Amino acid sequence: MSARLDSLPNYRRMTARDLDAVMSIENAIYPYPWTRGNFSDSLQAGYHCWLVECGGLIVGYSVIMIAAGEGHLLNLSIAASWQRRGLATGLLRFIVKLARDYAAGKIFLEVRPSNTAARALYGGAGFSEIAMRRDYYPARDGREDAVVMELVL
Ligand SMILES: CC(C)(COP(=O)(O)OP(=O)(O)OC[C@H]1O[C@@H](n2cnc3c(N)ncnc32)[C@H](O)[C@@H]1OP(=O)(O)O)[C@@H](O)C(=O)NCCC(=O)NCCS
């Protein structure tokens, strides 16, 4: 069960000025983090890049590409010390509404089979596991598959 938050989360668009804060979260929570270039390319490509803030502090973010009636959720992350408070659930709800507003009929994402927290998050939000992509991610012992998940909007 998630702990209570003292202040309501605020969602705002990510800009290049936010990348120091984003990278410090990204580098702390992933063994194979996105690079700064991945985020700046996403911003330049016009992907939907959003931050979640609590009390003015950046505590998480998400990147979704929406095109041709489909959304592809590329990144959704919450800073370690802010996890288990419902922030990812709220951010995901915000992103799902955004995808609907941009006329997406489905959202797809990939997740590591070992990432039980994320799989539970997405499953709880209504995503179904529809396929596996072999050797999708780098891993300590070679490569790790990806579970492909889909939400029909
Ligand atoms: C996965 C992640 C985004 C969840 O963020 P969060 O803000 O802690 O998630 P929430 O508090 O909204 O939790 C929602 C549900 O997810 C599941 N969950 C979240 N963290 C979990 C954990 N450590 N273990 C098991 N289940 C977990 C639970 O079902 C939870 O519901 P509950 O709190 O009612 O039990 C966060 O752990 C994270 O950023 N991890 C590193 C980055 C990552 O893996 N991103 C996803 C890549 S696909």
Side-chain angles (χ1 to χ4, degrees):
M1 191 60 184
S2 298
R4 205 175 61 83
L5 279 172
D6 290 334
S7 61
L8 276 181
N10 175 54
Y11 305 106
R12 73 165 170 88
R13 283 184 195 280
M14 188 190 295
T15 73
R17 286 186 300 282
D18 300 311
L19 290 186
D20 285 347
V22 166
M23 285 311 300
S24 78
I25 297 174
E26 180 79 11
N27 285 327
I29 61 173
Y30 288 102
Y32 299 93
W34 273 24
T35 63
R36 198 181 182 94
N38 293 140
F39 285 102
S40 41
D41 287 351
S42 296
L43 287 169
Q44 291 210 340
Y47 296 171
H48 300 263
C49 304
W50 284 83
L51 301 171
V52 52
E53 295 178 325
C54 285
L57 192 70
I58 295 170
V59 297
Y61 45 85
S62 186
V63 177
I64 184 169
M65 175 180 70
I66 305 172
E70 287 181 358
H72 198 138
L73 185 57
L74 302 174
N75 194 321
L76 190 144
S77 305
I78 300 295
S81 56
W82 290 84
Q83 292 176 5
R84 298 312 301 259
R85 302 180 199 206
L87 284 167
T89 303
L91 180 56
L92 188 54
R93 204 174 290 139
F94 177 86
I95 293 296
V96 167
K97 180 179 181 313
L98 183 85
R100 273 205 193 95
D101 290 348
Y102 280 84
K106 289 180 175 181
I107 299 176
F108 296 96
L109 62 86
E110 282 87 21
V111 59
R112 288 178 189 262
S114 59
N115 194 344
T116 48
R119 286 173 76 180
L121 165 73
Y122 297 130
F127 280 79
S128 321
E129 302 193 353
I130 55 160
M132 292 285 268
R133 289 197 209 289
R134 294 275 159 230
D135 297 336
Y136 187 80
Y137 292 111
R140 211 163 34 137
D141 308 317
R143 308 283 300 177
E144 182 173 359
D145 297 339
V147 179
V148 182
M149 300 187 77
E150 174 197 62
L151 179 70
V152 178
L153 300 174

